[in-house]
Amino acid sequence: EENLWNYDGIEALASKYSIITAPIYNIHPYGIPNFLQTSYEHYCAEHYKYDIDLMLRIIKNKYPEHYIDSLRCLYSTQCFFGNILIMQRDIFDKYCEFIFSILSDVEKETNILNYDSYQKRIFGFLAERLSNIFIESVKSKNKNLKIFHAPMVYVNNGNIKLENAHIFNKKKNYIPREINVEHGGKINIVMSFDDKYFSHALATIESLLHN
């Protein structure tokens, strides 16, 4: 209700803007918000430098009209993540042609057999950068294009502070709801998180306990 997440609200938003993206963030290592990095530096620190250099080389050869915008974007200290966008159909068609043709060429020239399970998500990580590059390029060529960078919204009871939450110490009596499923009416859930996803893990567990 508050965010107008209904048919009329979304239709009004989509009719007002040509492109809607996820939030714009400052880029920094996890947990060190004052240490800003460029998108290129962040990728090289978190993934393999060879892959993003290969991507840039392909853009330069295949889409030279996007190359300068690529450099401008990758040397910025802000971007959006998640490959979450809404856009007009004609722009969307160009977007798909751009990112998938580049990712296809990257796939032909890189070997991910020895990458761990996280780094094998290379094409999603590169697509995040390509999405930003595409939007930057479209924006530079059409100054009148209306783009909306949607804010992040946390959906909870309003009392959770993820930065210092210690949910296991909370004095709450959680009453499990009866669940009518096979095998005894219980659902066993196993999750694994590393430190990078600590706050996400807390939010997930909090939601499970409440719901």
Side-chain angles (χ1 to χ4, degrees):
E1 293 291 331
E2 183 179 346
N3 290 283
L4 296 178
W5 290 342
N6 51 44
Y7 187 93
D8 292 336
I10 294 171
E11 185 179 46
L13 186 67
S15 63
K16 185 177 180 181
Y17 296 97
S18 297
I19 300 173
I20 302 169
T21 81
I24 294 286
Y25 291 107
N26 287 333
I27 305 169
H28 57 80
Y30 182 82
I32 315 177
N34 293 327
F35 186 74
L36 291 183
Q37 294 177 304
T38 66
S39 183
Y40 180 82
E41 289 170 336
H42 186 264
Y43 191 96
C44 293
E46 296 288 328
H47 312 292
Y48 293 111
K49 180 177 182 294
Y50 171 84
D51 297 327
I52 197 166
D53 287 342
L54 171 61
M55 182 192 81
L56 272 172
R57 189 165 70 249
I58 291 170
I59 293 173
K60 187 176 183 179
N61 293 333
K62 196 167 190 175
Y63 294 98
E65 70 275 17
H66 291 293
Y67 184 64
I68 297 301
D69 295 315
S70 302
L71 296 179
R72 184 185 299 112
C73 186
L74 288 178
Y75 284 93
S76 169
T77 57
Q78 290 186 321
C79 73
F80 59 85
F81 293 97
N83 296 319
I84 303 172
L85 306 96
I86 301 172
M87 61 187 78
Q88 291 176 188
R89 169 75 67 177
D90 58 330
I91 301 175
F92 178 71
D93 288 341
K94 293 175 183 176
Y95 165 76
C96 289
E97 178 187 352
F98 175 69
I99 70 163
F100 289 118
S101 64
I102 293 170
L103 291 175
S104 177
D105 286 353
V106 170
E107 187 177 16
K108 294 172 185 174
E109 295 189 43
T110 192
N111 185 349
I112 66 171
L113 286 178
N114 294 321
Y115 287 14
D116 63 27
S117 58
Y118 179 69
Q119 296 299 343
K120 282 181 178 177
R121 293 164 55 190
I122 166 182
F123 303 108
F125 298 137
L126 290 177
E128 287 179 318
R129 276 70 184 180
L130 287 171
S131 294
N132 280 268
I133 288 169
F134 178 81
I135 300 301
E136 179 68 26
S137 186
V138 168
K139 188 168 59 176
S140 70
K141 292 170 176 57
N142 185 352
K143 303 294 184 183
N144 296 320
L145 195 69
K146 290 188 176 182
I147 301 174
F148 179 62
H149 301 292
M152 176 66 75
V153 177
Y154 291 95
V155 182
N156 56 39
N157 63 10
N159 298 318
I160 301 172
K161 294 182 179 179
L162 292 179
E163 296 83 13
N164 50 18
H166 300 288
I167 64 172
F168 297 108
N169 297 326
K170 289 185 178 179
K171 305 299 183 183
K172 290 184 179 179
N173 295 318
Y174 292 104
I175 302 173
R177 301 178 184 180
E178 290 191 17
I179 304 172
N180 184 21
V181 295
E182 296 178 3
H183 310 300
K186 293 182 179 180
I187 297 176
N188 298 310
I189 299 173
V190 179
M191 296 182 291
S192 174
F193 299 94
D194 62 21
D195 289 345
K196 287 185 179 181
Y197 294 95
F198 174 73
S199 60
H200 305 74
L202 290 176
T204 303
I205 294 168
E206 181 81 20
S207 178
L208 286 169
L209 291 174
H210 276 293
N211 301 297

